[in-house]
C-alpha cells in the first residue's frame, strides 16, 4: 500500500477497506457506516444492472461474502480527499470458497476499482464503486 494522506476521512476509508478485506463481521463494519449510508455499485460483469444498497443490505452482503470467498484483499494505490469526499484507487483480489458459475472454488478474482466516498459525522454516508473485473475465465 502507498503512503496514505493523513486526512482523517482517508484513514477511515482505508481502515474500512482493510476490515472488508479481512471479511470482518458485519457488526465491525457497521462502525464505519452512517445509519443513512448508501452504497452504489455501477454496472459490471458481476452486477450487470449495478446495485444500490442501504445499511442493512450492505451488512447482509458482507455476511454473504463470508460464505462465497475464502479470502480477499484490497490494496489502496492512491487516495485523495477534498472536504468530506474521498476518492480511492484500489486493486482487489478474492479467492472463491465455492464454485461460481463455471469458476471453481479456489479461483482468484481480480478487479481494479475507483471508489468515491462521502463522509458525515466521521462515517461513510455514501459510496460509489466503479469495479473493473479482469476476465472471468475458468482455468
Amino acid at each position: 500500500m502507498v503512503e496514505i494522506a493523513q486526512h482523517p476521512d482517508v484513514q477511515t476509508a482505508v481502515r474500512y477497506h482493510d476490515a472488508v478485506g479481512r471479511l470482518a463481521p458485519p457488526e465491525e463494519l457497521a462502525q464505519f457506516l452512517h445509519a443513512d449510508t448508501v452504497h452504489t455499485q455501477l454496472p459490471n460483469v458481476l452486477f450487470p444492472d449495478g446495485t444500490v444498497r442501504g445499511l442493512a443490505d450492505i451488512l447482509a452482503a458482507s455476511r454473504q461474502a463470508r460464505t462465497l470467498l475464502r479470502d480477499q484483499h484490497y490494496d489502496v494505490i492512491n487516495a485523495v480527499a477534498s472536504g468530506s469526499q474521498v476518492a480511492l484507487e484500489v486493486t482487489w483480489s478474492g479467492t472463491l470458497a465455492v464454485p461460481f458459475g463455471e469458476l471453481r472454488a479456489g479461483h482468484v478474482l481480480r478487479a481494479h476499482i475507483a471508489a468515491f466516498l462521502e463522509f458525515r459525522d466521521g462515517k461513510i454516508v455514501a459510496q460509489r464503486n466503479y469495479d473493473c473485473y479482469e476476465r472471468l475465465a475458468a482455468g
Side-chain angles (χ1 to χ4, degrees), residues 28-125:
E28 182 179 341
L29 299 180
Q31 297 175 17
F32 294 95
L33 302 171
H34 194 280
D36 297 331
T37 195
V38 174
H39 180 253
T40 303
Q41 193 168 45
L42 282 294
N44 60 61
V45 70
L46 295 183
F47 299 97
D49 297 322
T51 62
V52 178
R53 296 179 173 129
L55 180 59
D57 291 335
I58 293 168
L59 299 178
S62 78
R63 284 184 195 91
Q64 183 181 26
R66 293 166 61 100
T67 65
L68 298 175
L69 297 172
R70 180 183 316 152
D71 59 60
Q72 66 178 349
H73 178 74
Y74 289 88
D75 186 20
V76 177
I77 297 168
N78 198 3
V80 178
S82 178
S84 64
Q85 308 264 338
V86 171
L88 299 177
E89 180 183 3
V90 179
T91 57
W92 170 83
S93 62
T95 305
L96 292 173
V98 296
F100 179 77
E102 295 181 13
L103 304 176
R104 291 180 271 186
H107 182 85
V108 178
L109 301 169
R110 299 184 197 290
H112 307 272
I113 301 169
F116 298 87
L117 298 90
E118 183 178 339
F119 285 78
R120 185 185 315 149
D121 303 325
K123 295 188 175 197
I124 301 166
V125 71

